[in-house]
Amino acid sequence: MPNRIINTLDARLNKFGILVVDDTPANLEVMGETLSLANYDVSAVTSGKRALKQLQHEIPSLILLDIQMPEMDGFETCEKIKANPNTADIPIIFITALSDTESIVKGFSLGAVDYITKPFKEKELLARVQTHLKLYVLNEYLEEQVDNRTAELQIALEQVHQSKLQLVQHEKMSALGNLVSGVAHEINNPLGFLNGSISNAKEYLGDFLDYLELYQKNHPPVSPNLQEKASEIDLDYLLEDFPNLLDSMKTAIDRIQNISTSLRTFSRADTQNKTQANIRDGLDSTLLILKYRLKAKEYRPAIQIVKEYGDLPLVDCFLGQLNQVFMNILANAIDMFDEVAHQLDLEYLKTNPQIITIQTQNNHENNSIEIRIKDNGKGMTPEVKEKAFEYLFTTKVVGKGTGLGLAIAHQIITEKHGGSLSIKSELGKGTEFIICLPI
């Protein structure tokens, strides 16, 4: 990018306003002071309702939005901002103390560009604000130039789009990956302690039961009080069932450890070089992240997942990026099912379930593997299918989609992996995404 454009962007950064929304005055004061010292024009309000009212009179370039607020939380505020055409394009960064994956994913699905956890670090806050303001200003600058530039600018604009896709991809996967990896790491230590403690408890219990049995043989209970207490607590059943209880606890811990492993697989950071990976692990870890969205809702039954995994070799790939492709395609299918479900009767959906089928297979002719993700939803029109991978194209309502998901997925598969991503779809008969990766 020419230096004059960079200088123009840097010069304009401090001329744009930032709206800070937080119900805690102390947080507003700290963030306001931090941003003001960096020469940003800062406005602050203490609720979502006041933020919406403020936006009627003044449009900022960036919004820092707290999630946990009374009356109207940050998620609802974000939805209303994105639903208004006048404010839909304002980048929103969530400020949150929440650290669960569901909240972070929900924030991104509502259109947020980033999140910062409390307590925040001043350098991180300023760096993220500057990054997204630069993107905002860059987007505005290019839009101003499109009207009076020639085909040469169109080529330059396409290059900027590709750079922006890479930046958005990196920011989202970095934020989500760090969060998921951190959660998995944090639960491993207490899990290890519980696992060892239960093993020791089973050993101790075995010794105790052996001793108790030997004691009862040599000293049969003659006291009525002891016999009455044994009957009251059903001693025989207790001694029989307690080891089973410990086994059940051990099974539950093993399940949590499997979940932790899947989380770490999903968030695996990519290196500069490809590494050999099991595609099945990536698919399963992505499904785990989306499990909460597949569950039954009041307006639809649970979305069914059908796995038809073939035996695949390890593939040289950037697994973290492939997981993002799987995430985008599966999340789009779930969004579509939710939209359709609101238009159909619940009893009809119970007898005609919504299904996502995932198939993997070898393609020996092309020395490649195929991953097919198919839904039995409403399908696409030929016009929508043709534009599906275009930058910023979306069929979702304002605030529900950015038009970046499938564009990023296509870029990852074709440019990063030298593969192909195609669509088979027919209106009323569902949609199938076909990912082809060289071995």
Side-chain angles (χ1 to χ4, degrees):
M1 184 182 298
N3 289 334
R4 63 181 180 81
I5 296 181
I6 295 177
N7 293 336
T8 300
L9 297 180
D10 290 339
R12 295 176 63 180
L13 280 180
N14 296 341
K15 296 181 180 179
F16 288 86
I18 298 175
L19 176 61
V20 183
V21 187
D22 196 308
D23 63 321
T24 305
N27 290 341
L28 288 178
E29 182 178 353
V30 173
M31 285 188 285
E33 182 178 356
T34 299
L35 295 169
S36 296
L37 289 175
N39 297 321
Y40 292 112
D41 184 11
V42 182
S43 299
V45 294
T46 56
S47 70
K49 289 184 177 180
R50 292 186 178 182
L52 296 176
K53 188 173 182 179
Q54 173 89 356
L55 291 173
Q56 294 176 4
H57 308 289
E58 184 178 351
I59 303 297
S61 302
L62 181 72
I63 298 176
L64 297 175
L65 180 58
D66 186 26
I67 289 182
Q68 293 179 305
M69 297 185 294
E71 296 185 10
M72 181 187 297
D73 65 14
F75 293 139
E76 183 179 355
T77 305
C78 181
E79 282 186 304
K80 292 183 180 296
I81 292 173
K82 293 300 181 181
N84 185 343
N86 295 326
T87 58
D89 294 331
I90 302 174
I92 296 176
I93 299 177
F94 276 129
I95 306 292
T96 177
L98 299 176
S99 60
D100 60 291
T101 302
E102 181 176 346
S103 297
I104 301 303
V105 173
K106 181 177 181 180
F108 283 134
S109 69
L110 292 175
V113 296
D114 208 343
Y115 79 98
I116 300 173
T117 55
K118 296 179 181 177
F120 65 87
K121 299 179 177 62
E122 291 185 4
K123 290 184 179 180
E124 179 186 5
L125 173 67
L126 293 174
R128 290 182 184 271
V129 165
Q130 186 179 47
T131 294
H132 291 288
L133 275 178
K134 280 186 175 181
L135 285 174
Y136 179 80
V137 176
L138 176 61
N139 196 51
E140 277 201 341
Y141 177 84
L142 292 173
E143 288 178 352
E144 291 170 1
Q145 300 302 310
V146 164
D147 292 336
N148 51 29
R149 287 294 184 94
T150 61
E152 178 182 356
L153 182 58
Q154 188 61 40
I155 296 173
L157 181 60
E158 183 61 31
Q159 293 173 344
V160 171
H161 286 167
Q162 295 301 316
S163 298
K164 187 173 181 180
L165 284 177
Q166 293 177 359
L167 180 58
V168 172
Q169 170 198 339
H170 174 75
E171 288 289 329
K172 284 189 175 182
M173 288 307 294
S174 176
L176 185 58
N178 288 339
L179 170 68
V180 173
S181 180
V183 170
H185 177 75
E186 288 298 321
I187 67 176
N188 276 343
N189 289 334
L191 277 179
F193 169 77
L194 288 174
N195 198 27
S197 297
I198 288 178
S199 296
N200 291 336
K202 287 189 66 176
E203 184 179 341
Y204 298 160
L205 177 63
D207 293 340
F208 173 75
L209 293 180
D210 290 341
Y211 174 80
L212 181 61
E213 183 180 1
L214 184 63
Y215 182 86
Q216 288 176 329
K217 287 180 179 179
N218 290 276
H219 301 280
V222 294
S223 169
N225 290 337
L226 289 176
Q227 292 177 345
E228 181 180 350
K229 188 63 178 179
S231 176
E232 178 186 339
I233 65 175
D234 197 351
L235 180 61
D236 291 338
Y237 174 77
L238 188 151
L239 295 177
E240 177 184 351
D241 190 58
F242 194 42
N244 296 333
L245 179 63
L246 290 177
D247 288 338
S248 297
M249 293 169 65
K250 180 65 167 59
T251 300
I253 287 178
D254 290 341
R255 171 61 179 156
I256 297 174
Q257 286 179 326
N258 289 335
I259 292 174
S260 174
T261 300
S262 294
L263 289 172
R264 293 169 72 92
T265 298
F266 178 83
S267 64
R268 188 160 89 185
D270 290 316
T271 60
Q272 293 183 349
N273 300 314
K274 296 178 181 177
T275 57
Q276 286 199 329
N278 188 330
I279 296 299
R280 177 174 180 170
D281 291 342
L283 288 166
D284 285 342
S285 64
T286 306
L287 287 172
L288 178 68
I289 299 296
L290 291 170
K291 185 176 181 179
Y292 79 99
R293 295 199 59 197
L294 297 168
K295 293 180 178 179
K297 310 291 184 183
E298 67 275 8
Y299 54 87
R300 64 158 173 80
I303 297 172
Q304 297 181 16
I305 298 294
V306 177
K307 300 178 184 179
E308 299 177 358
Y309 293 160
D311 292 330
L312 299 181
L314 297 179
V315 178
D316 286 336
C317 64
F318 301 105
L319 186 58
Q321 295 184 25
L322 287 184
N323 288 343
Q324 185 179 2
V325 174
F326 303 150
M327 172 73 78
N328 287 337
I329 294 175
L330 290 167
N332 281 346
I334 297 171
D335 289 342
M336 177 273 301
F337 278 143
D338 281 341
E339 177 188 343
V340 170
H342 282 98
Q343 305 168 9
L344 297 175
D345 182 72
L346 182 60
E347 293 302 318
Y348 173 83
L349 289 173
K350 289 180 179 179
T351 55
N352 297 272
Q354 298 171 313
I355 303 173
I356 297 175
T357 302
I358 304 175
Q359 298 174 316
T360 62
Q361 62 187 31
N362 276 303
N363 188 331
H364 297 291
E365 293 182 2
N366 297 329
N367 195 31
S368 62
I369 65 166
E370 288 183 358
I371 304 109
R372 294 173 176 260
I373 302 176
K374 182 179 181 179
D375 64 66
N376 64 340
K378 65 180 182 178
M380 300 180 184
T381 65
E383 293 76 17
V384 170
K385 177 183 172 183
E386 183 179 352
K387 296 181 178 180
F389 299 126
E390 288 185 8
Y391 175 80
L392 294 183
F393 175 77
T394 180
T395 59
K396 299 176 184 178
V397 298
V398 175
K400 294 295 185 180
T402 62
L404 297 177
L406 290 181
I408 290 175
H410 188 266
Q411 183 186 65
I412 290 173
I413 297 299
T414 59
E415 296 185 16
K416 298 291 186 179
H417 291 86
S420 64
L421 176 59
S422 58
I423 303 174
K424 286 184 179 180
S425 185
E426 186 175 345
L427 201 59
K429 295 187 177 180
T431 298
E432 181 179 31
F433 285 85
I434 304 167
I435 302 168
C436 185
L437 296 173
I439 296 177

Short mmCIF file of all heavy atoms in Angstrom, two decimals, residues 88-125:
data_model
loop_
_atom_site.label_atom_id
_atom_site.label_comp_id
_atom_site.label_asym_id
_atom_site.label_seq_id
_atom_site.Cartn_x
_atom_site.Cartn_y
_atom_site.Cartn_z
N ALA A 88 -25.46 -0.39 11.13
CA ALA A 88 -25.08 -1.80 10.94
C ALA A 88 -23.60 -1.99 10.66
O ALA A 88 -23.02 -3.03 11.01
CB ALA A 88 -25.91 -2.42 9.82
N ASP A 89 -22.96 -1.00 10.03
CA ASP A 89 -21.56 -1.17 9.63
C ASP A 89 -20.56 -0.75 10.70
O ASP A 89 -19.35 -0.87 10.50
CB ASP A 89 -21.30 -0.37 8.35
CG ASP A 89 -22.06 -0.92 7.16
OD1 ASP A 89 -22.32 -2.15 7.14
OD2 ASP A 89 -22.39 -0.14 6.25
N ILE A 90 -21.04 -0.24 11.83
CA ILE A 90 -20.12 0.19 12.88
C ILE A 90 -19.47 -1.04 13.51
O ILE A 90 -20.16 -1.93 13.98
CB ILE A 90 -20.85 1.00 13.97
CG1 ILE A 90 -21.55 2.22 13.38
CG2 ILE A 90 -19.86 1.43 15.06
CD1 ILE A 90 -22.39 2.97 14.39
N PRO A 91 -18.14 -1.13 13.52
CA PRO A 91 -17.49 -2.28 14.18
C PRO A 91 -17.73 -2.25 15.69
O PRO A 91 -17.65 -1.19 16.32
CB PRO A 91 -16.01 -2.10 13.83
CG PRO A 91 -15.86 -0.66 13.46
CD PRO A 91 -17.16 -0.22 12.90
N ILE A 92 -18.04 -3.42 16.24
CA ILE A 92 -18.33 -3.54 17.67
C ILE A 92 -17.32 -4.50 18.31
O ILE A 92 -17.14 -5.63 17.83
CB ILE A 92 -19.76 -4.05 17.92
CG1 ILE A 92 -20.77 -3.02 17.38
CG2 ILE A 92 -19.99 -4.32 19.41
CD1 ILE A 92 -22.21 -3.49 17.49
N ILE A 93 -16.67 -4.04 19.37
CA ILE A 93 -15.77 -4.89 20.16
C ILE A 93 -16.42 -5.10 21.52
O ILE A 93 -16.73 -4.14 22.23
CB ILE A 93 -14.39 -4.23 20.34
CG1 ILE A 93 -13.71 -3.99 18.98
CG2 ILE A 93 -13.50 -5.10 21.23
CD1 ILE A 93 -12.38 -3.29 19.10
N PHE A 94 -16.67 -6.37 21.88
CA PHE A 94 -17.27 -6.66 23.17
C PHE A 94 -16.22 -6.55 24.28
O PHE A 94 -15.10 -7.02 24.14
CB PHE A 94 -17.86 -8.07 23.19
CG PHE A 94 -19.25 -8.15 22.62
CD1 PHE A 94 -19.55 -9.08 21.65
CD2 PHE A 94 -20.24 -7.28 23.05
CE1 PHE A 94 -20.84 -9.16 21.12
CE2 PHE A 94 -21.52 -7.36 22.53
CZ PHE A 94 -21.82 -8.30 21.56
N ILE A 95 -16.61 -5.92 25.39
CA ILE A 95 -15.82 -5.88 26.61
C ILE A 95 -16.52 -6.80 27.59
O ILE A 95 -17.67 -6.56 27.96
CB ILE A 95 -15.73 -4.46 27.20
CG1 ILE A 95 -15.23 -3.46 26.15
CG2 ILE A 95 -14.85 -4.45 28.42
CD1 ILE A 95 -13.81 -3.67 25.75
N THR A 96 -15.88 -7.89 28.00
CA THR A 96 -16.62 -8.89 28.77
C THR A 96 -15.75 -9.57 29.80
O THR A 96 -14.55 -9.75 29.61
CB THR A 96 -17.21 -9.95 27.82
OG1 THR A 96 -17.87 -10.94 28.59
CG2 THR A 96 -16.13 -10.61 26.99
N ALA A 97 -16.39 -9.96 30.89
CA ALA A 97 -15.74 -10.81 31.89
C ALA A 97 -16.05 -12.27 31.64
O ALA A 97 -15.51 -13.15 32.29
CB ALA A 97 -16.21 -10.42 33.30
N LEU A 98 -16.96 -12.53 30.68
CA LEU A 98 -17.33 -13.91 30.34
C LEU A 98 -16.17 -14.58 29.61
O LEU A 98 -15.54 -13.98 28.75
CB LEU A 98 -18.58 -13.93 29.46
CG LEU A 98 -19.85 -13.32 30.07
CD1 LEU A 98 -20.97 -13.33 29.05
CD2 LEU A 98 -20.27 -14.09 31.31
N SER A 99 -15.93 -15.85 29.91
CA SER A 99 -14.83 -16.55 29.25
C SER A 99 -15.29 -17.87 28.66
O SER A 99 -14.46 -18.67 28.26
CB SER A 99 -13.69 -16.80 30.24
OG SER A 99 -14.16 -17.58 31.33
N ASP A 100 -16.62 -18.10 28.60
CA ASP A 100 -17.09 -19.36 28.03
C ASP A 100 -17.18 -19.26 26.52
O ASP A 100 -17.47 -18.20 25.96
CB ASP A 100 -18.44 -19.75 28.61
CG ASP A 100 -19.51 -18.71 28.33
OD1 ASP A 100 -19.39 -17.62 28.91
OD2 ASP A 100 -20.40 -18.97 27.51
N THR A 101 -16.95 -20.38 25.88
CA THR A 101 -16.92 -20.42 24.42
C THR A 101 -18.25 -19.99 23.82
O THR A 101 -18.29 -19.27 22.82
CB THR A 101 -16.59 -21.86 23.96
OG1 THR A 101 -15.34 -22.25 24.51
CG2 THR A 101 -16.51 -21.93 22.44
N GLU A 102 -19.35 -20.40 24.44
CA GLU A 102 -20.67 -20.09 23.89
C GLU A 102 -20.89 -18.59 23.78
O GLU A 102 -21.39 -18.09 22.77
CB GLU A 102 -21.76 -20.72 24.75
CG GLU A 102 -23.18 -20.48 24.24
CD GLU A 102 -24.22 -21.20 25.07
OE1 GLU A 102 -23.82 -22.09 25.85
OE2 GLU A 102 -25.41 -20.89 24.93
N SER A 103 -20.49 -17.84 24.80
CA SER A 103 -20.69 -16.39 24.78
C SER A 103 -19.84 -15.73 23.70
O SER A 103 -20.29 -14.83 23.00
CB SER A 103 -20.33 -15.80 26.16
OG SER A 103 -21.19 -16.28 27.15
N ILE A 104 -18.59 -16.19 23.56
CA ILE A 104 -17.71 -15.59 22.56
C ILE A 104 -18.21 -15.89 21.15
O ILE A 104 -18.28 -15.02 20.29
CB ILE A 104 -16.26 -16.09 22.74
CG1 ILE A 104 -15.75 -15.73 24.15
CG2 ILE A 104 -15.36 -15.49 21.69
CD1 ILE A 104 -15.81 -14.27 24.48
N VAL A 105 -18.59 -17.15 20.92
CA VAL A 105 -19.11 -17.52 19.60
C VAL A 105 -20.39 -16.76 19.29
O VAL A 105 -20.61 -16.30 18.17
CB VAL A 105 -19.36 -19.05 19.53
CG1 VAL A 105 -20.07 -19.42 18.23
CG2 VAL A 105 -18.05 -19.81 19.61
N LYS A 106 -21.25 -16.61 20.31
CA LYS A 106 -22.49 -15.87 20.11
C LYS A 106 -22.19 -14.42 19.73
O LYS A 106 -22.83 -13.85 18.85
CB LYS A 106 -23.34 -15.91 21.38
CG LYS A 106 -24.66 -15.16 21.24
CD LYS A 106 -25.50 -15.29 22.51
CE LYS A 106 -26.83 -14.56 22.35
NZ LYS A 106 -27.66 -14.66 23.58
N GLY A 107 -21.18 -13.82 20.38
CA GLY A 107 -20.81 -12.45 20.05
C GLY A 107 -20.38 -12.31 18.60
O GLY A 107 -20.81 -11.39 17.89
N PHE A 108 -19.55 -13.23 18.12
CA PHE A 108 -19.12 -13.18 16.72
C PHE A 108 -20.30 -13.41 15.78
O PHE A 108 -20.39 -12.78 14.72
CB PHE A 108 -18.04 -14.24 16.46
CG PHE A 108 -16.68 -13.86 16.97
CD1 PHE A 108 -15.91 -14.76 17.68
CD2 PHE A 108 -16.16 -12.59 16.75
CE1 PHE A 108 -14.64 -14.42 18.15
CE2 PHE A 108 -14.91 -12.23 17.21
CZ PHE A 108 -14.16 -13.15 17.92
N SER A 109 -21.23 -14.30 16.15
CA SER A 109 -22.36 -14.59 15.28
C SER A 109 -23.29 -13.39 15.15
O SER A 109 -24.01 -13.26 14.16
CB SER A 109 -23.13 -15.81 15.80
OG SER A 109 -23.80 -15.51 17.02
N LEU A 110 -23.30 -12.53 16.17
CA LEU A 110 -24.14 -11.33 16.11
C LEU A 110 -23.50 -10.20 15.32
O LEU A 110 -24.12 -9.18 15.08
CB LEU A 110 -24.45 -10.84 17.53
CG LEU A 110 -25.36 -11.76 18.37
CD1 LEU A 110 -25.48 -11.24 19.79
CD2 LEU A 110 -26.73 -11.88 17.73
N GLY A 111 -22.24 -10.36 14.91
CA GLY A 111 -21.61 -9.36 14.07
C GLY A 111 -20.46 -8.61 14.71
O GLY A 111 -19.91 -7.69 14.11
N ALA A 112 -20.11 -8.98 15.97
CA ALA A 112 -18.96 -8.33 16.60
C ALA A 112 -17.67 -8.69 15.86
O ALA A 112 -17.56 -9.76 15.29
CB ALA A 112 -18.85 -8.75 18.07
N VAL A 113 -16.72 -7.76 15.85
CA VAL A 113 -15.46 -8.00 15.15
C VAL A 113 -14.37 -8.50 16.09
O VAL A 113 -13.35 -9.03 15.64
CB VAL A 113 -14.96 -6.72 14.44
CG1 VAL A 113 -15.94 -6.29 13.37
CG2 VAL A 113 -14.73 -5.58 15.44
N ASP A 114 -14.58 -8.36 17.41
CA ASP A 114 -13.52 -8.74 18.34
C ASP A 114 -14.09 -8.72 19.75
O ASP A 114 -15.24 -8.33 19.97
CB ASP A 114 -12.35 -7.75 18.23
CG ASP A 114 -11.01 -8.40 18.60
OD1 ASP A 114 -11.04 -9.47 19.23
OD2 ASP A 114 -9.97 -7.82 18.27
N TYR A 115 -13.29 -9.16 20.72
CA TYR A 115 -13.67 -9.05 22.13
C TYR A 115 -12.43 -8.83 22.96
O TYR A 115 -11.33 -9.21 22.58
CB TYR A 115 -14.41 -10.31 22.60
CG TYR A 115 -13.50 -11.47 22.91
CD1 TYR A 115 -13.13 -11.74 24.23
CD2 TYR A 115 -12.98 -12.27 21.91
CE1 TYR A 115 -12.28 -12.80 24.52
CE2 TYR A 115 -12.13 -13.31 22.19
CZ TYR A 115 -11.78 -13.58 23.49
OH TYR A 115 -10.94 -14.61 23.78
N ILE A 116 -12.61 -8.16 24.10
CA ILE A 116 -11.53 -7.91 25.05
C ILE A 116 -12.05 -8.34 26.42
O ILE A 116 -13.16 -7.98 26.81
CB ILE A 116 -11.12 -6.42 25.09
CG1 ILE A 116 -10.63 -5.96 23.70
CG2 ILE A 116 -10.03 -6.19 26.13
CD1 ILE A 116 -10.37 -4.48 23.63
N THR A 117 -11.27 -9.14 27.14
CA THR A 117 -11.71 -9.64 28.44
C THR A 117 -11.33 -8.67 29.55
O THR A 117 -10.31 -7.99 29.50
CB THR A 117 -11.10 -11.02 28.73
OG1 THR A 117 -9.67 -10.94 28.61
CG2 THR A 117 -11.62 -12.05 27.75
N LYS A 118 -12.20 -8.63 30.57
CA LYS A 118 -11.92 -7.86 31.77
C LYS A 118 -11.16 -8.73 32.76
O LYS A 118 -11.42 -9.93 32.84
CB LYS A 118 -13.23 -7.40 32.43
CG LYS A 118 -14.07 -6.45 31.61
CD LYS A 118 -15.33 -6.10 32.38
CE LYS A 118 -16.24 -5.16 31.62
NZ LYS A 118 -17.49 -4.87 32.35
N PRO A 119 -10.24 -8.15 33.53
CA PRO A 119 -9.77 -6.77 33.43
C PRO A 119 -8.87 -6.60 32.22
O PRO A 119 -8.02 -7.44 31.97
CB PRO A 119 -9.00 -6.55 34.74
CG PRO A 119 -8.55 -7.94 35.11
CD PRO A 119 -9.61 -8.88 34.65
N PHE A 120 -9.08 -5.53 31.44
CA PHE A 120 -8.34 -5.37 30.20
C PHE A 120 -6.97 -4.72 30.45
O PHE A 120 -6.75 -4.07 31.47
CB PHE A 120 -9.13 -4.52 29.21
CG PHE A 120 -9.35 -3.11 29.66
CD1 PHE A 120 -8.41 -2.11 29.40
CD2 PHE A 120 -10.50 -2.76 30.33
CE1 PHE A 120 -8.61 -0.82 29.80
CE2 PHE A 120 -10.71 -1.45 30.75
CZ PHE A 120 -9.76 -0.49 30.49
N LYS A 121 -6.08 -4.94 29.51
CA LYS A 121 -4.76 -4.31 29.55
C LYS A 121 -4.78 -3.13 28.59
O LYS A 121 -5.30 -3.22 27.47
CB LYS A 121 -3.67 -5.31 29.14
CG LYS A 121 -3.57 -6.51 30.07
CD LYS A 121 -2.49 -7.48 29.59
CE LYS A 121 -2.34 -8.66 30.55
NZ LYS A 121 -3.55 -9.47 30.64
N GLU A 122 -4.22 -2.01 29.03
CA GLU A 122 -4.29 -0.78 28.24
C GLU A 122 -3.69 -0.96 26.85
O GLU A 122 -4.26 -0.53 25.86
CB GLU A 122 -3.59 0.37 28.97
CG GLU A 122 -4.31 0.81 30.22
CD GLU A 122 -3.66 2.03 30.86
OE1 GLU A 122 -2.68 2.56 30.27
OE2 GLU A 122 -4.14 2.45 31.91
N LYS A 123 -2.52 -1.62 26.78
CA LYS A 123 -1.87 -1.81 25.48
C LYS A 123 -2.71 -2.66 24.55
O LYS A 123 -2.81 -2.39 23.36
CB LYS A 123 -0.48 -2.43 25.68
CG LYS A 123 0.54 -1.49 26.32
CD LYS A 123 1.92 -2.14 26.38
CE LYS A 123 2.95 -1.18 26.99
NZ LYS A 123 4.30 -1.80 27.06
N GLU A 124 -3.33 -3.71 25.10
CA GLU A 124 -4.18 -4.57 24.27
C GLU A 124 -5.40 -3.80 23.78
O GLU A 124 -5.78 -3.89 22.61
CB GLU A 124 -4.64 -5.80 25.07
CG GLU A 124 -5.55 -6.73 24.25
CD GLU A 124 -6.13 -7.85 25.08
OE1 GLU A 124 -5.91 -7.86 26.30
OE2 GLU A 124 -6.82 -8.70 24.50
N LEU A 125 -6.02 -3.02 24.68
CA LEU A 125 -7.19 -2.22 24.30
C LEU A 125 -6.85 -1.27 23.16
O LEU A 125 -7.55 -1.21 22.15
CB LEU A 125 -7.68 -1.44 25.52
CG LEU A 125 -8.81 -0.42 25.25
CD1 LEU A 125 -10.08 -1.14 24.84
CD2 LEU A 125 -9.06 0.44 26.48
#
